[in-house]
Amino acid sequence: MNGRERFLSSFDGKTVDRPPVWLMRQAGRYLPGYRAVRAKAGFWDVCHDPELSTKVALEPLARFPLDAAIVFSDILVIPQALGLDVTFGTGDGPRVGKPLRTRADLDGWNTQGLIDRLQFLPRAVKHLSAALKGSHAMIGFAGAPFTLFSYCVEGGSSDDFRLPRVMLHQEPKLAEAALATLADAAAELLNAQLDAGADAVQLFDTWGGLLAPDEYEKFALPALRRITDQLKGRRVLLFVRGGHHLLPLLGDSGAGGFSLDWRTPFAEARARYPNHVLQGNVDPVLLFAPEQVVRDRTAALLNDMRSTQYTRCIANLGHGILPGTPETAVEALCQTVVNANASR
Ligand code: 1CP
């Protein structure tokens, strides 16, 4: 069973020898090859060049026994294609110029021919798919509407994303219209990646956990539903960072699986969602702890995954891998999953 077969079997509820494993942000700055590419090319240059994006997406697969690749891109390609000025500085995260503050700002978003401006992404998927030749599953992605809305309104990253959260209450109609526009863009982009050869797609709701359940239900969920309605029958994972309190709501998103962060107990999510795919959820910070901690935490996760004989389970981190993460820790996590049956 190769990585792609294992990933698809597990996702589709069939028998597997062990859970498939991949890591969110597995192609990032903790890898020397990525840093070398970025020393010579800007972030957007890597995204737009299929050779370079494939090179950085393949690097983690060559180093670790992973079962899936994730296409190299960023969630902020959608705001950029809508006409916002997205730049990646060093250190303090991305900046979004021309932020959304008024109805006129939203009216200025350029939705005409949006997918044409995003063609580099399905092109990168095709190129990566050809390089993989079916050895590994391939994952496409997009930002979830509320997380994209957060960057668009705030104008960059933030601890509390005060401006977008106030806008939900001060200008609910404007917020809903923006969320719907972002949802349609995400749906179109995800369908294009799936048509280009992605086996599954993940929606990253990195800031969804900032919302109270009633806010998530009123604003974030309808926009997610708008996406999954346009992706019927396709494999969709939803990651909500800090989303433990939102777990009861996620079933209404229409996603086939949920990627859990490290604060959501896997067994609790399984009890609530016996038939969904569940992915996660090792704390990325633990990869800086002694290696035995990584092995023990991963073994405990595998133990929870045995309630379904590993089917509908995907081993992963509870959030993206951090810059500076020791490669030996990544190796220890992956090897523990690979040996899942030996340690039983
Ligand atoms: O393996 C991979 O690295 C795949 C590609 C990938 C993905 C899945 C990148 C490349 N970005 C993302 C998703 C992404 N981007 C998310 C959702 C996942 C998460 O929460 O980690 C978010 C919130 C972003 C926005 C973003 N882009 C940030 C976070 C800023 C913040 O608010 O804290 C950052 C630092 C970026 C730039 C970026 N995107 C990707 C990389 C490798 C980088 C670093 C750029 C560099 O220094 O080279």
Side-chain angles (χ1 to χ4, degrees), residues 11 201-203 221 224-225 227-229 231 234-239 249-259 273 275-277:
F11 204 110
V201 288
Q202 178 155 319
L203 280 159
L221 264 186
L224 286 168
R225 187 87 227 182
I227 298 176
T228 54
D229 283 348
L231 292 171
R234 310 195 100 166
R235 298 184 190 91
V236 182
L237 289 162
L238 169 64
F239 168 65
L249 297 174
L250 299 188
D252 290 333
S253 68
F258 309 122
S259 192
Y273 294 111
N275 299 315
H276 280 73
V277 176

Side-chain angles (χ1 to χ4, degrees), residues 22-31 34-35 38-39 41-43 46-47 56-57 60 69-77 86-95 139-144 147-148 151 156-159 161 202-207 239 241 318-321 323:
W22 69 282
L23 306 175
M24 288 192 264
R25 313 283 299 252
Q26 65 191 23
R29 278 168 293 175
Y30 74 107
L31 287 177
Y34 177 78
R35 293 195 299 270
R38 283 284 283 104
F43 183 77
V46 182
C47 293
V56 299
I70 179 160
V71 67
F72 192 80
S73 172
D74 195 77
I75 63 163
L76 296 174
V77 298
V86 180
T87 48
F88 294 102
T90 39
D92 58 349
R95 307 295 321 155
I139 297 162
F141 70 96
T147 287
L148 295 178
Y151 285 106
S157 199
S158 160
D159 291 335
F161 284 93
Q202 178 155 319
L203 280 159
F204 284 96
D205 207 353
T206 302
W207 301 109
F239 168 65
R241 179 167 173 255
H319 189 212
I321 195 164

Side-chain angles (χ1 to χ4, degrees), residues 306-328:
R306 273 182 208 124
S307 70
T308 59
Q309 284 83 46
Y310 301 137
T311 192
R312 297 203 159 102
C313 293
I314 303 169
N316 204 315
L317 296 172
H319 189 212
I321 195 164
L322 294 160
T325 297
E327 289 181 58
T328 49

Side-chain angles (χ1 to χ4, degrees), residues 52-123:
L52 279 183
S53 73
T54 295
K55 185 179 154 99
V56 299
L58 290 177
E59 187 187 5
L61 308 188
R63 282 176 180 255
F64 310 112
L66 296 160
D67 295 300
I70 179 160
V71 67
F72 192 80
S73 172
D74 195 77
I75 63 163
L76 296 174
V77 298
I78 287 177
Q80 191 198 37
L82 287 166
L84 288 87
D85 286 329
V86 180
T87 48
F88 294 102
T90 39
D92 58 349
R95 307 295 321 155
V96 181
K98 296 201 275 174
L100 171 70
R101 301 286 159 78
T102 65
R103 172 61 67 165
D105 294 329
L106 178 62
D107 291 343
W109 284 8
N110 182 10
T111 53
Q112 289 294 314
L114 184 82
I115 200 69
D116 300 334
R117 292 189 290 286
L118 291 167
Q119 274 311 310
F120 66 89
L121 187 41
R123 207 181 307 130

